Amino acid sequence: NGIHMESGDGNFTVHLRGRVFFDMDWADSDAPLIDSDEGVAENHVGFASARLGIEGRIFKNGIYKAEFDFADDEVDLKDVYVGLSQVGPGDLLFGHMKSPYGLNWMTSSRFIAFTTRSNSASAFGRGRDSGISWFGNFTESKKVHLGIGTFFTADNTGSASGNGGWGFSFRVAGLAIENADKDMILEI
């Protein structure tokens, strides 16, 4: 869970976080492929990505997060924002973050079922952009979740320019089935 620090009065917290994606693949090509024009499948070993970040709280309801991805000889911003928690039943965020779009896109890459996201999430998801969003639970039972935001299309450094590019996105999700004993949920 990384390194956690907290001030004596509990007003300030810091959580240092990080992860590494290390990939290996091995292919054993048959002799006919080696001699063909198709080429030979190559073996690969290496770091796909390394992430470092920091997140925490300032006083009772100030929140912040800054996470950077080191991959392909580049440094990309992931989530870099400040915000206020407990704005109504949710959090109000300002900065560079995921726009609310689909379960596959909103789930952290640490927890998706496969190595990469689905093609639909990659093709239709907005990615991370710079803007303002609010994420929260709509009911006391916390079974209905709402995410809403307006974003300016930004690159992987969080930069955006021009007169256009603003977008609006939202996501409403409901917890239809929850069975904690079997670690099973169904979200719609």
Side-chain angles (χ1 to χ4, degrees), residues 40-96:
V40 179
E42 295 182 2
N43 301 328
H44 174 264
V45 175
F47 291 96
S49 172
R51 288 206 191 159
L52 295 174
I54 186 171
E55 66 184 342
R57 293 192 169 278
I58 302 171
F59 296 108
K60 295 298 178 195
N61 66 341
I63 54 178
Y64 65 91
K65 183 176 181 181
E67 187 173 67
F68 305 91
D69 185 60
F70 301 89
D72 300 324
D73 298 325
E74 294 181 8
V75 178
D76 292 337
L77 295 182
K78 291 302 179 182
D79 293 323
V80 179
Y81 58 77
V82 296
L84 296 170
S85 65
Q86 301 170 1
V87 176
D91 297 339
L92 183 64
L93 307 177
F94 304 88
H96 189 72

Side-chain angles (χ1 to χ4, degrees), residues 33-149:
L33 286 177
I34 293 172
D35 297 331
S36 72
D37 292 334
E38 297 294 320
V40 179
E42 295 182 2
N43 301 328
H44 174 264
V45 175
F47 291 96
S49 172
R51 288 206 191 159
L52 295 174
I54 186 171
E55 66 184 342
R57 293 192 169 278
I58 302 171
F59 296 108
K60 295 298 178 195
N61 66 341
I63 54 178
Y64 65 91
K65 183 176 181 181
E67 187 173 67
F68 305 91
D69 185 60
F70 301 89
D72 300 324
D73 298 325
E74 294 181 8
V75 178
D76 292 337
L77 295 182
K78 291 302 179 182
D79 293 323
V80 179
Y81 58 77
V82 296
L84 296 170
S85 65
Q86 301 170 1
V87 176
D91 297 339
L92 183 64
L93 307 177
F94 304 88
H96 189 72
M97 68 202 92
K98 290 180 180 179
S99 57
Y101 174 82
L103 178 63
N104 189 282
W105 181 248
M106 295 305 295
T107 302
S108 169
S109 59
R110 293 180 299 156
F111 304 115
I112 58 177
F114 300 100
T115 305
T116 59
R117 296 192 189 280
S118 70
N119 288 336
S120 63
S122 299
F124 299 112
R126 286 187 50 95
R128 286 179 170 89
D129 288 319
S130 297
I132 301 168
S133 67
W134 181 88
F135 294 93
N137 294 304
F138 230 159
T139 62
E140 283 188 40
S141 65
K142 298 183 178 183
K143 291 190 176 188
V144 178
H145 181 81
L146 173 68
I148 188 169

